[in-house]
Amino acid sequence: MADLSTSFAGLKLANPIIISSSGLTKTAANNARLEEAGAAAVVIKSLFEEQIQYEAGQMLESNTYEHTEALDYLGAYVSQHKLAEYLDVIRESRKACSIPVIASINCHNDAEWVNFAREIEYAGASALEVNILSLQTQAQYEYGAFEKEHVKILKHLKQTISIPVIMKLGSNFTNPVALVNELKAAGADAVVLFNRFYPFDIDTDTMKVSSGQVLSNGSELSQSLRWAGIVSNAVGKMDIAVSGGVHDGAGIAKSLLVGANAVELCSVVFEKGLSCIAQLKAELSAWMDKKGYASIDQFKGSLNSGSGRSDADLFERTQFIKHFGGKE
C-alpha cells in the first residue's frame, strides 16, 4: 500500500488532507470526529477581526451608557469574550486530537490585535494560518499596498510567535509568485492557494443582492493548480497547499503533481459526509499503486511549470490561442 504521509509548514501529516477553516472545525468534538474519519490536520474555524469589531459595535449601539470609559470597557469585554472562546476551542481540540490543530485568524490590518497570536500559541495551536482577505476598491489606491500589508503582518507575527505561520492568499493578485517570494523572505512557513471570496449574486425576483453558491465545485480547482504549479517551480523550498475545488482523489493527485504538499478542503465533506475522507484517501492510494508510486515524494512537483514532462505554456495565457483560437 502506498505511503500517503507528507509534511506541510514543518508539520508531519499522515496524508495530504487538511480540513479547512469552516463550520466543520468549530468545535473540539467535531475535530475529533474529523481525525477519526481520516483527516491529517484541521484548521479551526477562523476568528474574524471584522466580526469581533462588528459585535462590539452592535453592543455599544444598543446600550445607553454615555461615559467613554464604560463604552471602552464594553467593547473590550466583547473582544476578550470572543478571544477566550476561541482559545478554549484550541485547548480542547489539542486534548481531543493527536493530529495538528491549526488556528486561523482573518484580519485586514497590522494592528495590536495581531498580538493575540501569542495567546493562540500559548493555547497550544500547532500553527497559525492567516487570512488577509479583502477587496481593494479605493479609487485612489497605491499599487502594491495590499501586498505590502501581507508582508508587514507576517513580519509582525514572526516577531511575536514561534509556531509556523501559514499565509492563505486570495486569488486577486497581479503576480502571486512575487508575493509568495516576498513572504518566503519574510519567514512564511507555507502558503495556501487560494482563499475563496464570499460568493456574490443577484436575486432577480426580489431585486436584492444575495449570497451565491457557498460550497466550491470541481471547476474551481484549475486556478489553484495553475498557480501552485508556477509557484512551486519559481519559489524554491516553499510549502504549498491547494485549496478550492478539491473534490476527489484525482484532485489531490493533481495538486501534488504540480508541487503542493497538501490540500485544504471542506465543501466535499459538507456534501458527502465524513465518510468521504476515507474514500479520498483510498482513491489517492489506488492511483499511486496504479502508477507504481510508493510515496508522495516520488512524484510531487513532477508536473509543475519547470518540469521537463510538462508543457510550460499550459500554465500561461499563450496556450489559450493554441486551444481556443479557432473556436467560433
Side-chain angles (χ1 to χ4, degrees), residues 28-51:
N30 283 0
N31 293 330
R33 284 191 285 270
L34 288 165
E35 177 179 9
E36 185 177 358
V42 293
V43 182
I44 297 177
K45 186 177 181 181
S46 285
L47 183 67
F48 281 79
E49 179 181 11
E50 295 96 329
Q51 180 183 6

Side-chain angles (χ1 to χ4, degrees), residues 57-132:
Q58 289 290 101
M59 188 173 192
L60 294 177
E61 288 178 7
S62 64
N63 74 78
T64 58
Y65 295 109
E66 294 183 358
H67 197 286
T68 303
E69 212 170 284
L71 295 177
D72 288 344
Y73 172 80
L74 285 173
Y77 172 80
V78 172
S79 298
Q80 289 302 315
H81 180 67
K82 283 291 179 183
L83 302 182
E85 286 181 342
Y86 195 77
L87 294 175
D88 283 342
V89 175
I90 295 173
R91 295 187 190 99
E92 292 168 6
S93 294
R94 284 306 305 270
K95 291 178 182 177
C97 302
S98 60
I99 59 176
V101 173
I102 302 169
S104 174
I105 58 175
N106 193 306
C107 58
H108 59 272
N109 59 63
D110 182 36
E112 288 186 10
W113 185 84
V114 175
N115 286 324
F116 176 61
R118 185 180 290 111
E119 295 184 57
I120 285 176
E121 180 175 24
Y122 292 160
S126 307
L128 173 63
E129 182 177 277
V130 183
N131 303 271
I132 311 170

